[in-house]
Amino acid sequence: MQAAPLSDRGIILVSGDDARHFLNGLVTANVATMSPAQSRFAALLTPQGKIVADFIVAEIAAADGGGFLLDAPAALVDGLLAKLKMYKLRAKVTVEDRSAALAVVALWGDGIDSRDTAAVDGLVLRDPRLPELGLRAIVPVGMAAATAVRLGATMVDAAAYEAHRIALGVPRGGVDFAYGDAFPHETDMDQLAGVDFKKGCYVGQEVVSRMQHRGTARTRVVPVTVEGFAPPPGAPVTAGDIAVGTMGSGVEGRGLALLRLDRVGDALAAGTPIVAGGIALAPVKPAWASFAWPGETVPS
């Protein structure tokens, strides 16, 4: 098992008597049915349905003070705090930046289910997006190495976790898609347990529900394979003289790209090479995906 500190993550604490109801009315996941034994993948959206910030929500047990921790990109913490405070109004909710006190550690690999997480000083929960992503621990700053030791994991750097994430085809905001410019379906949140389509209203819910029921998400982040190193993030992806998307994160041999699936389908059917930065790409449908791939019909 491997462990990596994720220094690019920040932590927001949402607490108070109305914290559960407050979050549930704002974000894409169902916070109303959460418990301290589980985490949820969620996003705060604009009223137009685009992602302001995505994060993993963990609940603190009442015996430990209660509340919810939002494991979010560090670069978005200030903006997310401001948005949450704007929506708070008269709710009995406190919103705090706890990034200076708490850190995030990712743990993944063989034997993960046999580890005694109770020995860790902090919260250790399964990553709600994919089982293969392993665990996420929220621990006091400076305790990453001790957490790895207690769980019998080998410490590695964040680049190893990035390679693991990319190999699984899981998008990362800010590199695989732009915050403020992408819908949840385009970032595969609907496939990665990030949207509850049965819960009540939340900000942007009408647009997201319409995309789900009409099947209008033509653009998605998908894995691609390459020969050698992947093109740089932001490189245009083309098929002949037709723009089909934008390159995202990558490592040697593979990467992720935000692609128009219909245009990719046309290119594949015509045998037209798909290229970014002069490097040929081969789009691959991820094993966890249930959306329609070019030339494929998926039962509703």
Side-chain angles (χ1 to χ4, degrees):
M1 188 167 78
Q2 296 178 300
L6 304 183
S7 60
D8 63 337
R9 306 295 291 183
I11 299 292
I12 292 174
L13 170 63
V14 181
S15 58
D17 293 344
D18 296 337
R20 187 185 303 275
H21 178 74
F22 169 71
L23 282 176
N24 197 58
L26 287 181
V27 307
T28 57
N30 194 332
V31 180
T33 59
M34 279 189 67
S35 75
Q38 60 190 177
S39 60
R40 295 271 163 89
F41 183 36
L44 176 67
L45 310 180
T46 66
Q48 295 74 35
K50 294 190 175 182
I51 299 173
V52 172
D54 56 356
F55 39 83
I56 293 174
V57 185
E59 183 175 352
I60 304 170
D64 295 321
F68 298 86
L69 296 176
L70 310 187
D71 163 4
L76 301 183
V77 165
D78 287 347
L80 182 54
L81 275 169
K83 285 284 188 182
L84 293 173
K85 289 177 179 178
M86 179 188 75
Y87 282 117
K88 188 177 71 167
L89 301 176
R90 297 182 181 179
K92 295 178 180 178
V93 173
T94 300
V95 182
E96 308 170 63
D97 182 359
R98 299 302 304 277
S99 304
L102 297 172
V104 179
V105 181
L107 304 109
W108 71 99
D110 295 338
I112 204 164
D113 292 327
S114 64
R115 309 306 165 102
D116 180 13
T117 59
V120 174
D121 180 17
L123 288 176
V124 184
L125 297 168
R126 277 208 166 275
D127 192 308
R129 295 171 293 177
L130 278 182
E132 293 85 355
L133 282 170
L135 306 175
R136 290 178 82 91
I138 301 176
V139 299
V141 165
M143 291 295 292
T147 299
V149 169
R150 289 178 183 178
L151 292 175
T154 301
M155 281 293 289
V156 295
D157 61 24
Y161 179 72
E162 275 293 278
H164 178 61
R165 175 190 67 80
I166 293 167
L168 292 173
V170 177
R172 175 186 169 194
V175 60
D176 296 315
F177 63 90
Y179 289 110
D181 194 41
F183 296 104
H185 284 77
E186 294 176 335
T187 72
D188 302 326
M189 285 194 72
D190 62 314
Q191 305 286 298
L192 295 168
V195 183
D196 189 316
F197 293 103
K198 297 180 180 179
K199 65 171 282 187
C201 294
Y202 55 87
V203 177
Q205 182 259 351
E206 183 178 350
V207 177
V208 175
S209 293
R210 186 163 60 245
M211 292 185 75
Q212 175 71 6
H213 294 305
R214 294 182 180 177
T216 53
R218 294 180 298 178
T219 301
R220 284 190 180 271
V221 177
V222 298
V224 294
T225 59
V226 301
E227 290 291 337
F229 287 99
V237 181
T238 59
D241 59 355
I242 298 174
V244 300
T246 306
M247 190 66 197
S249 52
V251 292
E252 186 171 5
R254 65 184 72 213
L256 296 172
L258 182 65
L259 300 178
R260 273 283 300 264
L261 297 187
D262 54 342
R263 295 177 183 175
V264 168
D266 291 343
L268 293 175
T272 304
I274 298 171
V275 178
I279 299 172
L281 310 179
V284 181
K285 184 175 180 177
W288 43 261
S290 61
F291 56 79
W293 194 242
E296 174 188 27
T297 300
V298 175
S300 58

PDB file of all heavy atoms in Angstrom, residues 109-138:
ATOM      1  N   GLY A 109      -3.749   0.853  -2.861  1.00  0.00           N
ATOM      2  CA  GLY A 109      -2.941  -0.323  -3.157  1.00  0.00           C
ATOM      3  C   GLY A 109      -3.415  -1.575  -2.458  1.00  0.00           C
ATOM      4  O   GLY A 109      -4.466  -1.603  -1.805  1.00  0.00           O
ATOM      5  N   ASP A 110      -2.636  -2.645  -2.568  1.00  0.00           N
ATOM      6  CA  ASP A 110      -3.010  -3.953  -2.034  1.00  0.00           C
ATOM      7  C   ASP A 110      -3.094  -3.929  -0.512  1.00  0.00           C
ATOM      8  O   ASP A 110      -2.315  -3.254   0.168  1.00  0.00           O
ATOM      9  CB  ASP A 110      -1.983  -5.004  -2.457  1.00  0.00           C
ATOM     10  CG  ASP A 110      -1.973  -5.229  -3.957  1.00  0.00           C
ATOM     11  OD1 ASP A 110      -2.995  -4.918  -4.605  1.00  0.00           O
ATOM     12  OD2 ASP A 110      -0.952  -5.698  -4.484  1.00  0.00           O
ATOM     13  N   GLY A 111      -4.036  -4.703   0.003  1.00  0.00           N
ATOM     14  CA  GLY A 111      -4.157  -4.879   1.445  1.00  0.00           C
ATOM     15  C   GLY A 111      -4.832  -3.749   2.179  1.00  0.00           C
ATOM     16  O   GLY A 111      -4.857  -3.723   3.404  1.00  0.00           O
ATOM     17  N   ILE A 112      -5.416  -2.832   1.434  1.00  0.00           N
ATOM     18  CA  ILE A 112      -5.975  -1.647   2.076  1.00  0.00           C
ATOM     19  C   ILE A 112      -7.164  -1.983   2.977  1.00  0.00           C
ATOM     20  O   ILE A 112      -7.398  -1.330   3.994  1.00  0.00           O
ATOM     21  CB  ILE A 112      -6.358  -0.609   1.001  1.00  0.00           C
ATOM     22  CG1 ILE A 112      -6.378   0.793   1.603  1.00  0.00           C
ATOM     23  CG2 ILE A 112      -7.662  -0.946   0.315  1.00  0.00           C
ATOM     24  CD1 ILE A 112      -6.355   1.886   0.565  1.00  0.00           C
ATOM     25  N   ASP A 113      -7.926  -3.024   2.623  1.00  0.00           N
ATOM     26  CA  ASP A 113      -9.107  -3.365   3.419  1.00  0.00           C
ATOM     27  C   ASP A 113      -8.762  -4.027   4.741  1.00  0.00           C
ATOM     28  O   ASP A 113      -9.617  -4.152   5.613  1.00  0.00           O
ATOM     29  CB  ASP A 113     -10.028  -4.292   2.607  1.00  0.00           C
ATOM     30  CG  ASP A 113     -10.649  -3.577   1.429  1.00  0.00           C
ATOM     31  OD1 ASP A 113     -10.914  -2.366   1.543  1.00  0.00           O
ATOM     32  OD2 ASP A 113     -10.864  -4.221   0.382  1.00  0.00           O
ATOM     33  N   SER A 114      -7.516  -4.471   4.892  1.00  0.00           N
ATOM     34  CA  SER A 114      -7.139  -5.165   6.124  1.00  0.00           C
ATOM     35  C   SER A 114      -6.514  -4.234   7.156  1.00  0.00           C
ATOM     36  O   SER A 114      -6.147  -4.669   8.245  1.00  0.00           O
ATOM     37  CB  SER A 114      -6.143  -6.284   5.790  1.00  0.00           C
ATOM     38  OG  SER A 114      -4.938  -5.742   5.263  1.00  0.00           O
ATOM     39  N   ARG A 115      -6.375  -2.951   6.877  1.00  0.00           N
ATOM     40  CA  ARG A 115      -5.697  -2.028   7.783  1.00  0.00           C
ATOM     41  C   ARG A 115      -6.650  -1.500   8.849  1.00  0.00           C
ATOM     42  O   ARG A 115      -7.823  -1.213   8.565  1.00  0.00           O
ATOM     43  CB  ARG A 115      -5.077  -0.868   7.001  1.00  0.00           C
ATOM     44  CG  ARG A 115      -4.214  -1.320   5.816  1.00  0.00           C
ATOM     45  CD  ARG A 115      -3.128  -2.309   6.229  1.00  0.00           C
ATOM     46  NE  ARG A 115      -2.558  -2.997   5.097  1.00  0.00           N
ATOM     47  CZ  ARG A 115      -1.381  -2.703   4.552  1.00  0.00           C
ATOM     48  NH1 ARG A 115      -0.661  -1.720   5.034  1.00  0.00           N
ATOM     49  NH2 ARG A 115      -0.935  -3.402   3.534  1.00  0.00           N
ATOM     50  N   ASP A 116      -6.128  -1.327  10.052  1.00  0.00           N
ATOM     51  CA  ASP A 116      -6.914  -0.818  11.176  1.00  0.00           C
ATOM     52  C   ASP A 116      -6.830   0.706  11.180  1.00  0.00           C
ATOM     53  O   ASP A 116      -5.888   1.297  11.708  1.00  0.00           O
ATOM     54  CB  ASP A 116      -6.380  -1.386  12.492  1.00  0.00           C
ATOM     55  CG  ASP A 116      -7.170  -0.886  13.695  1.00  0.00           C
ATOM     56  OD1 ASP A 116      -8.264  -0.303  13.490  1.00  0.00           O
ATOM     57  OD2 ASP A 116      -6.700  -1.068  14.833  1.00  0.00           O
ATOM     58  N   THR A 117      -7.833   1.348  10.592  1.00  0.00           N
ATOM     59  CA  THR A 117      -7.816   2.807  10.482  1.00  0.00           C
ATOM     60  C   THR A 117      -8.099   3.490  11.817  1.00  0.00           C
ATOM     61  O   THR A 117      -7.863   4.694  11.957  1.00  0.00           O
ATOM     62  CB  THR A 117      -8.833   3.283   9.435  1.00  0.00           C
ATOM     63  OG1 THR A 117     -10.142   2.846   9.809  1.00  0.00           O
ATOM     64  CG2 THR A 117      -8.489   2.726   8.061  1.00  0.00           C
ATOM     65  N   ALA A 118      -8.589   2.737  12.797  1.00  0.00           N
ATOM     66  CA  ALA A 118      -8.862   3.336  14.110  1.00  0.00           C
ATOM     67  C   ALA A 118      -7.590   3.820  14.791  1.00  0.00           C
ATOM     68  O   ALA A 118      -7.649   4.646  15.714  1.00  0.00           O
ATOM     69  CB  ALA A 118      -9.585   2.320  14.995  1.00  0.00           C
ATOM     70  N   ALA A 119      -6.441   3.331  14.346  1.00  0.00           N
ATOM     71  CA  ALA A 119      -5.173   3.731  14.953  1.00  0.00           C
ATOM     72  C   ALA A 119      -4.711   5.110  14.503  1.00  0.00           C
ATOM     73  O   ALA A 119      -3.751   5.662  15.045  1.00  0.00           O
ATOM     74  CB  ALA A 119      -4.096   2.701  14.617  1.00  0.00           C
ATOM     75  N   VAL A 120      -5.403   5.689  13.525  1.00  0.00           N
ATOM     76  CA  VAL A 120      -4.985   6.974  12.956  1.00  0.00           C
ATOM     77  C   VAL A 120      -5.625   8.129  13.720  1.00  0.00           C
ATOM     78  O   VAL A 120      -6.810   8.091  14.055  1.00  0.00           O
ATOM     79  CB  VAL A 120      -5.366   7.044  11.461  1.00  0.00           C
ATOM     80  CG1 VAL A 120      -5.079   8.422  10.887  1.00  0.00           C
ATOM     81  CG2 VAL A 120      -4.618   5.977  10.684  1.00  0.00           C
ATOM     82  N   ASP A 121      -4.831   9.160  13.973  1.00  0.00           N
ATOM     83  CA  ASP A 121      -5.329  10.367  14.619  1.00  0.00           C
ATOM     84  C   ASP A 121      -5.942  11.275  13.553  1.00  0.00           C
ATOM     85  O   ASP A 121      -5.295  12.169  13.015  1.00  0.00           O
ATOM     86  CB  ASP A 121      -4.179  11.094  15.338  1.00  0.00           C
ATOM     87  CG  ASP A 121      -4.644  12.377  16.030  1.00  0.00           C
ATOM     88  OD1 ASP A 121      -5.864  12.524  16.220  1.00  0.00           O
ATOM     89  OD2 ASP A 121      -3.794  13.216  16.360  1.00  0.00           O
ATOM     90  N   GLY A 122      -7.203  11.019  13.246  1.00  0.00           N
ATOM     91  CA  GLY A 122      -7.892  11.793  12.212  1.00  0.00           C
ATOM     92  C   GLY A 122      -8.988  10.969  11.568  1.00  0.00           C
ATOM     93  O   GLY A 122      -9.330   9.875  12.044  1.00  0.00           O
ATOM     94  N   LEU A 123      -9.555  11.480  10.490  1.00  0.00           N
ATOM     95  CA  LEU A 123     -10.599  10.776   9.756  1.00  0.00           C
ATOM     96  C   LEU A 123      -9.978  10.003   8.604  1.00  0.00           C
ATOM     97  O   LEU A 123      -9.193  10.555   7.826  1.00  0.00           O
ATOM     98  CB  LEU A 123     -11.617  11.767   9.187  1.00  0.00           C
ATOM     99  CG  LEU A 123     -12.570  12.457  10.155  1.00  0.00           C
ATOM    100  CD1 LEU A 123     -13.431  13.470   9.398  1.00  0.00           C
ATOM    101  CD2 LEU A 123     -13.462  11.441  10.845  1.00  0.00           C
ATOM    102  N   VAL A 124     -10.322   8.726   8.489  1.00  0.00           N
ATOM    103  CA  VAL A 124      -9.875   7.905   7.365  1.00  0.00           C
ATOM    104  C   VAL A 124     -11.107   7.249   6.753  1.00  0.00           C
ATOM    105  O   VAL A 124     -11.775   6.444   7.408  1.00  0.00           O
ATOM    106  CB  VAL A 124      -8.863   6.823   7.789  1.00  0.00           C
ATOM    107  CG1 VAL A 124      -8.365   6.065   6.557  1.00  0.00           C
ATOM    108  CG2 VAL A 124      -7.700   7.435   8.548  1.00  0.00           C
ATOM    109  N   LEU A 125     -11.413   7.613   5.509  1.00  0.00           N
ATOM    110  CA  LEU A 125     -12.613   7.118   4.850  1.00  0.00           C
ATOM    111  C   LEU A 125     -12.304   6.726   3.413  1.00  0.00           C
ATOM    112  O   LEU A 125     -11.337   7.196   2.821  1.00  0.00           O
ATOM    113  CB  LEU A 125     -13.700   8.200   4.850  1.00  0.00           C
ATOM    114  CG  LEU A 125     -14.219   8.644   6.225  1.00  0.00           C
ATOM    115  CD1 LEU A 125     -15.060   9.907   6.079  1.00  0.00           C
ATOM    116  CD2 LEU A 125     -15.030   7.542   6.880  1.00  0.00           C
ATOM    117  N   ARG A 126     -13.136   5.863   2.856  1.00  0.00           N
ATOM    118  CA  ARG A 126     -12.964   5.463   1.461  1.00  0.00           C
ATOM    119  C   ARG A 126     -13.204   6.650   0.545  1.00  0.00           C
ATOM    120  O   ARG A 126     -14.110   7.456   0.763  1.00  0.00           O
ATOM    121  CB  ARG A 126     -13.945   4.352   1.090  1.00  0.00           C
ATOM    122  CG  ARG A 126     -13.447   2.992   1.503  1.00  0.00           C
ATOM    123  CD  ARG A 126     -14.014   1.904   0.580  1.00  0.00           C
ATOM    124  NE  ARG A 126     -13.288   0.663   0.758  1.00  0.00           N
ATOM    125  CZ  ARG A 126     -12.161   0.359   0.146  1.00  0.00           C
ATOM    126  NH1 ARG A 126     -11.614   1.229  -0.689  1.00  0.00           N
ATOM    127  NH2 ARG A 126     -11.571  -0.783   0.352  1.00  0.00           N
ATOM    128  N   ASP A 127     -12.401   6.751  -0.503  1.00  0.00           N
ATOM    129  CA  ASP A 127     -12.661   7.748  -1.534  1.00  0.00           C
ATOM    130  C   ASP A 127     -13.988   7.379  -2.191  1.00  0.00           C
ATOM    131  O   ASP A 127     -14.155   6.249  -2.671  1.00  0.00           O
ATOM    132  CB  ASP A 127     -11.532   7.742  -2.571  1.00  0.00           C
ATOM    133  CG  ASP A 127     -11.599   8.937  -3.508  1.00  0.00           C
ATOM    134  OD1 ASP A 127     -12.669   9.167  -4.098  1.00  0.00           O
ATOM    135  OD2 ASP A 127     -10.573   9.633  -3.650  1.00  0.00           O
ATOM    136  N   PRO A 128     -14.958   8.296  -2.192  1.00  0.00           N
ATOM    137  CA  PRO A 128     -16.303   7.934  -2.668  1.00  0.00           C
ATOM    138  C   PRO A 128     -16.418   7.824  -4.181  1.00  0.00           C
ATOM    139  O   PRO A 128     -17.442   7.351  -4.685  1.00  0.00           O
ATOM    140  CB  PRO A 128     -17.158   9.102  -2.155  1.00  0.00           C
ATOM    141  CG  PRO A 128     -16.216  10.261  -2.113  1.00  0.00           C
ATOM    142  CD  PRO A 128     -14.890   9.679  -1.709  1.00  0.00           C
ATOM    143  N   ARG A 129     -15.391   8.214  -4.919  1.00  0.00           N
ATOM    144  CA  ARG A 129     -15.496   8.218  -6.375  1.00  0.00           C
ATOM    145  C   ARG A 129     -15.317   6.836  -6.981  1.00  0.00           C
ATOM    146  O   ARG A 129     -16.144   6.384  -7.780  1.00  0.00           O
ATOM    147  CB  ARG A 129     -14.474   9.199  -6.954  1.00  0.00           C
ATOM    148  CG  ARG A 129     -14.742  10.641  -6.572  1.00  0.00           C
ATOM    149  CD  ARG A 129     -13.595  11.558  -6.964  1.00  0.00           C
ATOM    150  NE  ARG A 129     -12.380  11.272  -6.179  1.00  0.00           N
ATOM    151  CZ  ARG A 129     -11.216  11.886  -6.360  1.00  0.00           C
ATOM    152  NH1 ARG A 129     -11.098  12.798  -7.311  1.00  0.00           N
ATOM    153  NH2 ARG A 129     -10.172  11.581  -5.602  1.00  0.00           N
ATOM    154  N   LEU A 130     -14.238   6.152  -6.607  1.00  0.00           N
ATOM    155  CA  LEU A 130     -13.949   4.812  -7.112  1.00  0.00           C
ATOM    156  C   LEU A 130     -13.272   4.007  -6.017  1.00  0.00           C
ATOM    157  O   LEU A 130     -12.373   4.535  -5.337  1.00  0.00           O
ATOM    158  CB  LEU A 130     -12.993   4.862  -8.313  1.00  0.00           C
ATOM    159  CG  LEU A 130     -13.498   5.160  -9.713  1.00  0.00           C
ATOM    160  CD1 LEU A 130     -12.326   5.091 -10.679  1.00  0.00           C
ATOM    161  CD2 LEU A 130     -14.598   4.207 -10.130  1.00  0.00           C
ATOM    162  N   PRO A 131     -13.620   2.732  -5.840  1.00  0.00           N
ATOM    163  CA  PRO A 131     -12.925   1.910  -4.840  1.00  0.00           C
ATOM    164  C   PRO A 131     -11.415   1.855  -5.075  1.00  0.00           C
ATOM    165  O   PRO A 131     -10.635   1.838  -4.126  1.00  0.00           O
ATOM    166  CB  PRO A 131     -13.570   0.532  -5.015  1.00  0.00           C
ATOM    167  CG  PRO A 131     -14.914   0.805  -5.598  1.00  0.00           C
ATOM    168  CD  PRO A 131     -14.740   2.009  -6.472  1.00  0.00           C
ATOM    169  N   GLU A 132     -11.006   1.857  -6.358  1.00  0.00           N
ATOM    170  CA  GLU A 132      -9.581   1.738  -6.675  1.00  0.00           C
ATOM    171  C   GLU A 132      -8.763   2.957  -6.242  1.00  0.00           C
ATOM    172  O   GLU A 132      -7.541   2.888  -6.138  1.00  0.00           O
ATOM    173  CB  GLU A 132      -9.395   1.518  -8.176  1.00  0.00           C
ATOM    174  CG  GLU A 132      -9.921   0.197  -8.678  1.00  0.00           C
ATOM    175  CD  GLU A 132     -11.413   0.238  -8.998  1.00  0.00           C
ATOM    176  OE1 GLU A 132     -12.063   1.290  -8.731  1.00  0.00           O
ATOM    177  OE2 GLU A 132     -11.941  -0.764  -9.500  1.00  0.00           O
ATOM    178  N   LEU A 133      -9.431   4.082  -5.977  1.00  0.00           N
ATOM    179  CA  LEU A 133      -8.720   5.261  -5.486  1.00  0.00           C
ATOM    180  C   LEU A 133      -8.284   5.098  -4.037  1.00  0.00           C
ATOM    181  O   LEU A 133      -7.440   5.852  -3.551  1.00  0.00           O
ATOM    182  CB  LEU A 133      -9.591   6.510  -5.636  1.00  0.00           C
ATOM    183  CG  LEU A 133      -9.674   7.095  -7.046  1.00  0.00           C
ATOM    184  CD1 LEU A 133     -10.746   8.169  -7.118  1.00  0.00           C
ATOM    185  CD2 LEU A 133      -8.336   7.653  -7.494  1.00  0.00           C
ATOM    186  N   GLY A 134      -8.854   4.124  -3.336  1.00  0.00           N
ATOM    187  CA  GLY A 134      -8.407   3.811  -1.984  1.00  0.00           C
ATOM    188  C   GLY A 134      -9.024   4.673  -0.917  1.00  0.00           C
ATOM    189  O   GLY A 134     -10.229   4.928  -0.908  1.00  0.00           O
ATOM    190  N   LEU A 135      -8.187   5.145   0.017  1.00  0.00           N
ATOM    191  CA  LEU A 135      -8.639   5.895   1.176  1.00  0.00           C
ATOM    192  C   LEU A 135      -8.139   7.332   1.118  1.00  0.00           C
ATOM    193  O   LEU A 135      -7.153   7.642   0.461  1.00  0.00           O
ATOM    194  CB  LEU A 135      -8.115   5.257   2.465  1.00  0.00           C
ATOM    195  CG  LEU A 135      -8.387   3.776   2.694  1.00  0.00           C
ATOM    196  CD1 LEU A 135      -7.684   3.314   3.971  1.00  0.00           C
ATOM    197  CD2 LEU A 135      -9.889   3.507   2.791  1.00  0.00           C
ATOM    198  N   ARG A 136      -8.848   8.186   1.849  1.00  0.00           N
ATOM    199  CA  ARG A 136      -8.368   9.555   2.075  1.00  0.00           C
ATOM    200  C   ARG A 136      -8.389   9.793   3.571  1.00  0.00           C
ATOM    201  O   ARG A 136      -9.399   9.531   4.233  1.00  0.00           O
ATOM    202  CB  ARG A 136      -9.227  10.581   1.348  1.00  0.00           C
ATOM    203  CG  ARG A 136      -9.041  10.497  -0.151  1.00  0.00           C
ATOM    204  CD  ARG A 136      -9.911  11.472  -0.863  1.00  0.00           C
ATOM    205  NE  ARG A 136      -9.360  12.824  -0.923  1.00  0.00           N
ATOM    206  CZ  ARG A 136      -8.594  13.268  -1.913  1.00  0.00           C
ATOM    207  NH1 ARG A 136      -8.232  12.458  -2.885  1.00  0.00           N
ATOM    208  NH2 ARG A 136      -8.175  14.514  -1.939  1.00  0.00           N
ATOM    209  N   ALA A 137      -7.274  10.286   4.089  1.00  0.00           N
ATOM    210  CA  ALA A 137      -7.168  10.591   5.516  1.00  0.00           C
ATOM    211  C   ALA A 137      -7.056  12.098   5.694  1.00  0.00           C
ATOM    212  O   ALA A 137      -6.312  12.759   4.970  1.00  0.00           O
ATOM    213  CB  ALA A 137      -5.948   9.901   6.107  1.00  0.00           C
ATOM    214  N   ILE A 138      -7.814  12.629   6.635  1.00  0.00           N
ATOM    215  CA  ILE A 138      -7.698  14.029   7.028  1.00  0.00           C
ATOM    216  C   ILE A 138      -7.095  14.026   8.427  1.00  0.00           C
ATOM    217  O   ILE A 138      -7.730  13.565   9.388  1.00  0.00           O
ATOM    218  CB  ILE A 138      -9.058  14.740   7.009  1.00  0.00           C
ATOM    219  CG1 ILE A 138      -9.664  14.677   5.600  1.00  0.00           C
ATOM    220  CG2 ILE A 138      -8.911  16.201   7.459  1.00  0.00           C
ATOM    221  CD1 ILE A 138     -11.069  15.273   5.494  1.00  0.00           C
TER     222      ILE A 138
END
